[in-house]
Amino acid sequence: MESQLKNLTGFPNVAYSLSVISLFNGENEQKKYSFFVKVEDGSLLQNSIEEMIKDIRKGEIINYFGAKSSSGFNIFEVCEIKKTVANPSSKKFQVYLNLGMLLPEFSKINSRNSFLNLHVSDRKPYDIENNVEKAICFISSGSVISKGDNAADEFELSRSIRNKYNLLYKDAIIFGNSYLEGLEV
């Protein structure tokens, strides 16, 4: 409860919760995961991943501490990175299955030929100012996205944006890119 944590008498009690998802394989909790990332050649993300591969080969341990890590969540150790070559015909797809949370670039999406399940995220920062609505809309996993005529490839269907929702982290980026798998229709 916000008022109790800040010890502010009379301040409204606003509850913050952290959703925790645990995946079980039978009776054993699954603690190893694989993430798939599709990157453009020459992009900043591709260069960063290649540097990580070099670090892993040198025996360095790569740890990531994401949001809520101070609560013991979103702490990752990268153990291995494997590079796969995408299907050369992947740029010919017009329709994609979204496998993540995608921040859409609607000007590049043919909404009429898409099946979009939207997820609205309340971007309440943990700060005193709490009376301004700050919401952002993602396209949920399982959605089918049709590429618009003005999109060259699947990388133009999503975007990442600067975090204008929390003044404490002005330079943070809200990652909105997602893994898109081409569909034959």
Side-chain angles (χ1 to χ4, degrees):
M1 302 299 268
E2 191 173 29
S3 66
Q4 293 165 347
L5 287 171
K6 293 183 178 180
N7 199 18
L8 298 171
T9 306
F11 194 73
N13 258 337
V14 179
Y16 289 90
S17 63
L18 300 174
S19 55
V20 177
I21 299 173
S22 298
L23 179 65
F24 285 85
N25 184 1
E27 293 185 15
N28 301 320
E29 185 176 1
Q30 185 70 38
K31 296 213 178 232
K32 291 187 177 184
Y33 299 92
S34 295
F35 297 92
F36 296 91
V37 181
K38 197 182 284 188
V39 297
E40 291 175 282
D41 286 333
S43 68
L44 181 61
L45 183 56
Q46 180 190 31
N47 296 337
S48 297
I49 290 172
E50 287 175 359
E51 288 300 316
M52 289 169 51
I53 291 170
K54 290 178 190 175
D55 292 342
I56 290 172
R57 286 184 182 149
K58 291 189 277 183
E60 295 181 21
I61 297 173
I62 301 173
N63 289 307
Y64 281 97
F65 303 99
K68 311 295 187 237
S69 61
S70 62
S71 301
F73 303 108
N74 292 332
I75 300 172
F76 301 96
E77 180 180 325
V78 179
C79 301
E80 181 182 21
I81 298 175
K82 293 180 183 178
K83 184 176 182 178
T84 60
V85 179
N87 181 350
S89 66
S90 66
K91 294 201 189 269
K92 295 179 185 175
F93 289 112
Q94 292 296 312
V95 179
Y96 297 89
L97 175 64
N98 179 36
L99 297 176
M101 295 298 283
L102 182 138
L103 187 56
E105 186 62 64
F106 277 116
S107 66
K108 303 287 184 171
I109 294 174
N110 181 340
S111 297
R112 287 187 178 182
N113 292 333
S114 299
F115 174 77
L116 305 177
N117 183 19
L118 300 179
H119 169 76
V120 178
S121 174
D122 188 357
R123 311 305 287 187
K124 286 185 181 177
Y126 192 73
D127 61 13
I128 290 179
E129 190 275 309
N130 191 33
N131 57 0
V132 178
E133 290 296 321
K134 301 168 187 162
I136 191 166
C137 182
F138 289 93
I139 295 177
S140 299
S141 59
S143 294
V144 176
I145 301 170
S146 178
K147 185 172 68 169
D149 293 335
N150 60 342
D153 57 38
E154 70 268 28
F155 294 107
E156 293 186 12
L157 301 177
S158 61
R159 60 195 172 119
S160 294
I161 61 172
R162 290 223 174 267
N163 184 13
K164 65 181 181 182
Y165 303 96
N166 189 335
L167 300 177
L168 297 174
Y169 304 102
K170 293 179 189 174
D171 294 328
I173 301 293
I174 297 175
F175 184 74
N177 297 41
S178 180
Y179 188 87
L180 298 171
E181 185 65 37
L183 295 175
E184 293 184 31
V185 290

